[in-house]
Amino acid sequence: MLELLSFGPNGWGGQLLMGTAMTVAVAVSAFAFGIVVGSLGASAKLSHSLALNVLADFYTTIVRGIPELLVIYLLFFGGSGVATSIAAAFGYDGRIDLDAFTIGVLAVGLISGAYSTEVIRGAVQSVPFGQIEAARACGMSRWLILRRVLVPQTLRFALPGLGNVWQLTLKDTALVSVTALAELMRVTHLAAGATRQPFLFYGTAAVLYLVLTTISTALFNRAEISANRGVRRA
């Protein structure tokens, strides 16, 4: 039975590893996209503009309030049409077709971004205002304060929450299998159906996901230790 997991011509080991690599690629891309979206969303929520506040609240409420799978289906069936309509508004008269990888990254990234928005917003609010005042008193410009005080401190406070968002993003990639993208869950489903050994392959997929989450936890823990180096504990 274990021969089915080998890397030979009759084994699925190579396909499972390629599916795992695709899962990591989707997760990393979606997480990075989510960080960008989350930073913009947090900026909107912390701004003094009522319109931006409402827009950011609407985004986070809607995306966090509906099932993740529904977000993927909405982009899978309507993403190309929306992209084509936006392009048409700028004078492009052709059709834009989004591939499964792009749809997966956009969908999971939007979900990740909704949670990252709240994490980053809370981290910014956790930075002591006295540090900002001290930087201003030293004559620092707004950009210098942002680069040397606000961003490093925000990152330090946001790391634990972003670690949780990353784990959520990694697990949400399994839902992208509905777009037929050959990530880990899709390959596992095909292998289980072809060999009639579902327990073997789904069990193997569970182990691979656990390996990825364990490595991720270790990396985020090291990042937290590094970010908090030199910080006095109360």
Side-chain angles (χ1 to χ4, degrees):
M1 183 183 297
L2 293 179
E3 293 179 358
L4 296 174
L5 300 177
S6 67
F7 293 90
N10 297 321
W12 288 80
Q15 290 91 326
L16 288 172
L17 284 183
M18 291 179 63
T20 302
M22 180 61 72
T23 290
V24 173
V26 173
V28 170
S29 301
F31 184 69
F33 178 59
I35 292 294
V36 175
V37 174
S39 299
L40 295 175
S43 299
K45 285 200 168 190
L46 293 171
S47 71
H48 299 292
S49 170
L50 179 61
L52 291 178
N53 290 162
V54 172
L55 183 62
D57 282 334
F58 178 79
Y59 161 63
T60 55
T61 301
I62 293 297
V63 173
R64 292 190 301 163
I66 63 177
E68 287 89 347
L69 186 59
L70 182 56
V71 176
I72 295 174
Y73 275 136
L74 286 173
L75 282 178
F76 182 65
F77 291 107
S80 296
V82 172
T84 300
S85 299
I86 294 175
F90 291 93
Y92 180 75
D93 57 356
R95 177 173 174 78
I96 298 178
D97 291 316
L98 301 179
D99 58 85
F101 180 84
T102 301
I103 291 173
V105 169
L106 290 176
V108 178
L110 286 174
I111 298 167
S112 175
Y115 291 96
S116 295
T117 295
E118 300 300 337
V119 171
I120 296 172
R121 180 183 65 84
V124 171
Q125 292 177 325
S126 297
V127 177
F129 187 70
Q131 295 185 10
I132 307 297
E133 290 183 322
R136 289 173 179 169
C138 291
M140 289 188 180
S141 64
R142 180 176 299 180
W143 168 249
L144 198 57
I145 293 174
L146 180 69
R147 183 166 61 89
R148 290 189 177 180
V149 179
L150 190 58
V151 171
Q153 290 286 64
T154 298
L155 180 61
R156 182 169 69 86
F157 287 118
L159 269 175
L162 290 179
N164 292 331
V165 173
W166 162 256
Q167 301 284 23
L168 175 68
T169 302
L170 182 60
K171 289 185 288 186
D172 279 347
T173 58
L175 301 175
V176 181
S177 61
V178 299
T179 66
L181 181 68
E183 46 74 59
L184 178 56
M185 187 54 66
R186 177 67 177 175
V187 174
T188 299
H189 178 72
L190 294 175
T195 61
R196 299 182 183 275
Q197 296 290 340
F199 184 80
L200 172 65
F201 284 99
Y202 286 119
T204 302
V207 171
L208 290 174
Y209 276 113
L210 284 173
V211 169
L212 293 177
T213 55
T214 301
I215 294 174
S216 301
T217 300
L219 291 176
F220 271 95
N221 286 340
R222 289 182 64 88
E224 288 182 41
I225 292 173
S226 177
N228 287 288
R229 186 177 300 155
V231 177
R232 180 186 299 178
R233 300 295 181 182

